[in-house]
Amino acid sequence: MAEFGEDGRHPPVNFGHSSVPSDETAGKTHCEVSVLNGDCGISENMMCSDTPLTPGSRAGAENANSSAGLDAKVDLPRRSSIIKDGRQRKERKKTVSFSSMPTEKKISRVSDCISAMVDGSELKKVRSNSRVYHRYFLLDADMQSLRWEPTKKESEKAKIDVKSIKEVRTGKNTDTFRTNGTYDQISEDCAFSVIFGENYESLDLVANTADVANIWVTGLRYLISYGKHTLNMIESSQNNLRSSWLSDLFDEEDVNHNRQIAICAAVQLIKKLSPGLKNVKVEQKFKEIHKAQDKSGSDVTKEEFAEVFHDLCTRPEIYFLFVQFSSNKEFLDTKDLMIFLEAEQGMAQVSENTSLDVIHKYEPSKEGRLKGWLSLDGFSNYLMSAECHIFDPEHKSVCQDMNQPLSHYYINASHNTYLIEDQFRGPSDVTGYIRALKMGCRCVELDVWDGPDNEPVIYTGHTMTSQIVFRSVIDVINKYAFVASEFPLILCVENHCSVKQQKLMFQHLKKILGDRIHVDPPKAEDCYLPSPSELKGKILLKGKKLDTNCTASEGEVTDEDEGAEMSQRMSIESAEQQTNAHKKIPLLKDLSDLVTLCKSVEFKDFPTSFQKQKPWELCSFNEVFATRCACDFPGDFVNYNKKFLARVYPSPMRIDSSNMNPQDFWKCGCQIVAMNYQTPGLMMDLNIGWFRQNGNCGYVLRPAIMREQVSYFSANTKDSVPGVSPQLLHIKIISGQNFPKPKGSGAKGDVVDPYVYVEIHGIPADCAEQRTKTVHQNGDNPLFDESFEFQINLPELVMVRFVVLDDDYIGDEFIGQYTIPFECLQPGFRHVPLQSLTGELLPHTLLFVHVAITNRRGGGKPHKRGLSVRKGKRSREYASMRVLQIKAVDEVFKTALLPLREATDLRENMQNAIMSFKELCGLSAVANLKQCILALSPRLTGPDNSPLLLFNLADQYPNLELQGLLPEVLRKVVTTYDMMMQTSKTLLESSDGLYERILQTQKAAMEFHENLHDLAVKEGLKGRKLHKAVESFTWNITILKGQGDLLKHARSEVQENLKQIHYSALTCNLSKGGAASRSSDSTDSKSRRSMEAIPEKAKVEEELTDAEK
């Protein structure tokens, strides 16, 4: 990862390093080397054949020291994605990848899974006390038993009857896994458990790869569903929707009814169905089939066409997902699809009509559309459509409050906009302005100098950059100013012209821009700048301004010459010019009067600015000086930017037009961070990605903690932010599609060895990165199947960047990237469209991922953020209040200690109960309660298909009612569910009172705010102690606001949970009396009160009731 400063002066972000096998072990198989996340992840020292080997044994210790295991961290060369960090990459030996599956074998039907299970697989059997055994598992040919060998047991005992299997559970979601010492070393994606017998025993297994785990899970679930009828079901499903659809397509192409078509036509038809495929690969596949059949002609039959489509266009990862929701059918019906859209994709208010709309839009077969069925191909079409893009469509248009003061927004800004190459010798061109304005830039620069023929020109002074006429630039700005955004455009005018040419500047500005220029002077009593909404369609000039008492036609101001700084660094100017920082230059009053809301002033220090600076005065900070302010005065810098605009421009050392990391200054609240738009790379990726989140309008509202007058935030925090709820981001990189060869690579074949980095950019506490393993020699459809988790402390400032690189590169490793603000992530299964180095979309080049965002301690948007998650066993943390040593104020803050503690207990108790319920349902922390009820529903049905438990939905808090005798495991479920309902009820009933008490303390404390300084002085505080008292006051207020918000969010979370339980009980037919019986009865008023507590529930009920009628 590149150091964010790009020039080597800023310290690198402390990213965690992934461990990789060393060169010596690179050629070993999975069983010989402890591998990266995504393979089984258990070190060899944990393995044994017959006798268990514990981690503490001598052999295990020796292996741990010698292997490239999970504890043996190997430093990876840090790579920059685009901008190299200059370090030599370690030379690696060439390795051959031995996959557990044949590379050409495609899994696209259950018969493929059953066949693989009959052949058998080596799996790792996990037992308690960290014991792990290698075993070979296979399915009997009669499909009645699951066996394993070798074993000390009699052969008849080393098996499980398929009919005794109750459930197949994915992930590490049994007590055996959770209590096993190797838990953290086992990949979630490779683990699965077979739950069997009347006592719900578990056989806990780990596959070498996620695709092997998926085969066993899919096959076993099918066997459970159909038992002895499995073969009949497999045979009857062969003539499926895909076959009829492909047959129709072939017949349309076979216009002469010859029952075969030309190979070129067949290739183009396959390409039309899967545009990312290469012609040569499709043609080669047909030729292989013909060769195997000793066929002389090149024409293609219908069967051959279907076989090639099956082999090249089936994505196993989508098939495995498909069968999870299809109830082991060859299609999803409307109910299956509703469950997928709601439970996985986070879609709200889904009805059967929603499912039908998806089916009619994406199902390719006529039969499927007619019957309301979605086939595997229709499901693939849907997942690859714009609807399943990772970017939330709500953010494609302006979605933020645009009525805040201008200083409360980040503003998309360009540095030396006229340059299209480097800062010193590069050419200037009006296309620089066109490009920037079309990209949503709202702040451009004009360095204006005297030009020939009495026409002002624009270029970087004291350098060899070329010149462009000022008038032509103003013409271009007038044409493109509001093409991408209607919100105000700032022109940073650096004026170095004589008075004579300033008059021409003024004439051009007035004549061309006219009424668009904002000329109304600010009012003296204004405390803040106007909002972007108030300034729609206006152009603001930023520049030097004469004193208000100046009545002459011209006056003098200090020169503002950023170009001179670079020339001084380049040592091409005389010593006399190097000391002219405060040189006076003349300024035309007419030109001065055009500057209203963005008057350029020099920054001295923060205390002076807090006392004397006006809201309409703007300071520009050199990158180096701004970095020093961020390091030495992080709190003051944030507070300064609450009221005043701050512009940061690149260091004069960046003569190559490289870019600074904008987040170094966004985290301080700096609104205008000027970027060199002509230089692509990591930093511009961050800038472009960041401003997408508000309709690409060039303005992004800053986090509330950076806007509120009394709030505590330090830009350099390396811990959680007071008053802000941390989030957990769970990302699974599933697969890739159609990765091209890196553009800048040297002479090598078209084959790439891709791997993926997931980077988190934000405040220091959030910066992190993780990488997948390398998939060797597969750029067409590499399968990664690796999961990562990141804690996000300040979500509103975080960006997620996906970078795909080539591990076998010559000259260039970059394949593609995509950068997205955290707030724009859509949960569920999503495709990520990759972009090139310069930001263009790479055709048909995608990453397939799963995203889940859970609340670590409550908060967030329930429908997007998922539900609460508890990270292991931890001691309870309570919000801390600081002592000011001002008696009256401290006494007020003391009144909040008890309600804050009670509020934390309410949230934690509720979250712990939810976590326990998820565990009993056999799901991980990422799951929501809809998924829990869906997973639980098969267990709630007796042998005769009668329900053992039903949800009584008449009450606000749905309770489970027994319908018969329950096994012990279900009694535990009922007890845990009741505890979850009780803690949820307690939170709902107590939260309003606690919130009111916290709010009262906050209001009482704020009454001291204006006189806080005087009170501190009366208490004898001065200097550092006085400053500390003021800081502690803002800390305490921030804590009170934050804890109050967390309580509100927890309340919303409980209401969302109740809605999910209610809806999923109806979906699974587990509601007492059915949906229709709740239309009107004696419990009507009680239900109505319940609806008030749970918004939208009534609407869901009505839809479901209507559907049943």
Side-chain angles (χ1 to χ4, degrees), residues 257-323:
H257 306 292
N258 296 328
R259 296 189 177 182
Q260 55 185 11
I261 58 176
I263 190 169
C264 57
V267 169
Q268 289 308 309
L269 189 52
I270 295 281
K271 278 272 294 177
K272 183 180 177 182
L273 300 174
S274 185
L277 285 172
K278 299 181 180 70
N279 282 14
V280 65
K281 184 172 182 177
V282 182
E283 191 170 337
Q284 181 64 30
K285 198 70 182 175
F286 280 119
K287 288 178 179 177
E288 286 175 9
I289 292 173
H290 289 168
K291 185 177 180 182
Q293 297 172 347
D294 291 328
K295 185 175 177 179
S296 55
S298 62
D299 286 350
V300 175
T301 65
K302 185 182 292 186
E303 291 72 22
E304 291 165 350
F305 171 73
E307 184 178 346
V308 170
F309 179 87
H310 177 79
D311 285 348
L312 296 183
C313 302
T314 302
R315 291 174 56 182
E317 72 277 22
I318 290 183
Y319 170 73
F320 289 131
L321 176 61
F322 177 79
V323 295

Side-chain angles (χ1 to χ4, degrees), residues 1 175 261 285 402 407 418 516 520 591 773 892 1026 1049 1090:
M1 181 100 200
D175 288 339
I261 58 176
K285 198 70 182 175
M402 302 304 290
S407 58
Y418 45 88
R516 285 183 166 183
D520 299 332
L591 206 53
K773 64 181 181 294
V892 170
L1026 175 60
H1049 291 319
S1090 156

Side-chain angles (χ1 to χ4, degrees), residues 158-309:
K159 71 172 187 176
I160 295 174
D161 290 337
V162 170
K163 63 184 178 183
S164 74
I165 299 175
K166 305 289 186 183
E167 176 189 354
V168 181
R169 193 176 292 180
T170 58
K172 303 177 291 185
N173 293 308
T174 63
D175 288 339
T176 301
F177 272 126
R178 293 187 194 105
T179 57
N180 194 287
T182 61
Y183 179 88
D184 291 332
Q185 300 172 14
I186 299 171
S187 166
E188 181 82 18
D189 308 302
C190 298
F192 65 100
S193 301
V194 180
I195 313 299
F196 65 97
E198 293 305 315
N199 295 322
Y200 287 78
E201 299 171 68
S202 69
L203 172 65
D204 300 289
L205 304 170
V206 181
N208 284 332
T209 60
D211 51 7
V212 172
N214 283 328
I215 286 171
W216 280 91
V217 169
T218 302
L220 287 171
R221 285 177 173 171
Y222 201 91
L223 288 168
I224 295 170
S225 294
Y226 296 111
K228 62 183 180 181
H229 303 296
T230 297
L231 277 175
N232 294 335
M233 290 302 299
I234 290 174
E235 289 171 7
S236 66
S237 67
Q238 295 307 305
N239 184 20
N240 55 21
L241 296 176
R242 170 183 279 186
S243 300
S244 61
W245 166 58
L246 291 177
S247 177
D248 290 344
L249 283 176
F250 188 90
D251 290 343
E252 287 175 17
E253 193 68 29
D254 181 19
V255 290
N256 296 322
H257 306 292
N258 296 328
R259 296 189 177 182
Q260 55 185 11
I261 58 176
I263 190 169
C264 57
V267 169
Q268 289 308 309
L269 189 52
I270 295 281
K271 278 272 294 177
K272 183 180 177 182
L273 300 174
S274 185
L277 285 172
K278 299 181 180 70
N279 282 14
V280 65
K281 184 172 182 177
V282 182
E283 191 170 337
Q284 181 64 30
K285 198 70 182 175
F286 280 119
K287 288 178 179 177
E288 286 175 9
I289 292 173
H290 289 168
K291 185 177 180 182
Q293 297 172 347
D294 291 328
K295 185 175 177 179
S296 55
S298 62
D299 286 350
V300 175
T301 65
K302 185 182 292 186
E303 291 72 22
E304 291 165 350
F305 171 73
E307 184 178 346
V308 170
F309 179 87

Side-chain angles (χ1 to χ4, degrees), residues 34 85 115 135 215 222 252 269 290 333 342 371 384 401 417 462 557 569 599 632 719 788 810 1057 1059 1106:
S34 171
D85 61 5
S115 175
R135 294 288 181 265
I215 286 171
Y222 201 91
E252 287 175 17
L269 189 52
H290 289 168
D333 59 29
E342 274 260 338
K371 293 181 176 178
M384 295 181 71
D401 178 9
T417 317
H462 319 286
V557 293
R569 296 279 182 176
K599 175 186 176 181
D632 297 345
D719 202 351
F788 306 114
I810 301 174
N1057 290 344
K1059 275 202 294 183
D1106 291 343

Side-chain angles (χ1 to χ4, degrees), residues 415 445 494 542 560-566 620 647 649:
H415 174 246
E445 291 190 27
E494 219 177 272
K542 175 233 169 229
E560 187 179 34
D561 192 353
E562 293 170 14
E565 295 182 52
M566 182 165 56
S620 290
R647 172 178 166 270
Y649 59 93

Side-chain angles (χ1 to χ4, degrees), residues 955-956 1059 1062 1090-1091 1094-1101:
D955 190 46
Q956 179 178 349
K1059 275 202 294 183
H1062 189 105
S1090 156
M1091 304 304 116
I1094 309 172
E1096 301 169 17
K1097 191 159 82 172
K1099 187 172 181 181
V1100 172
E1101 277 196 25

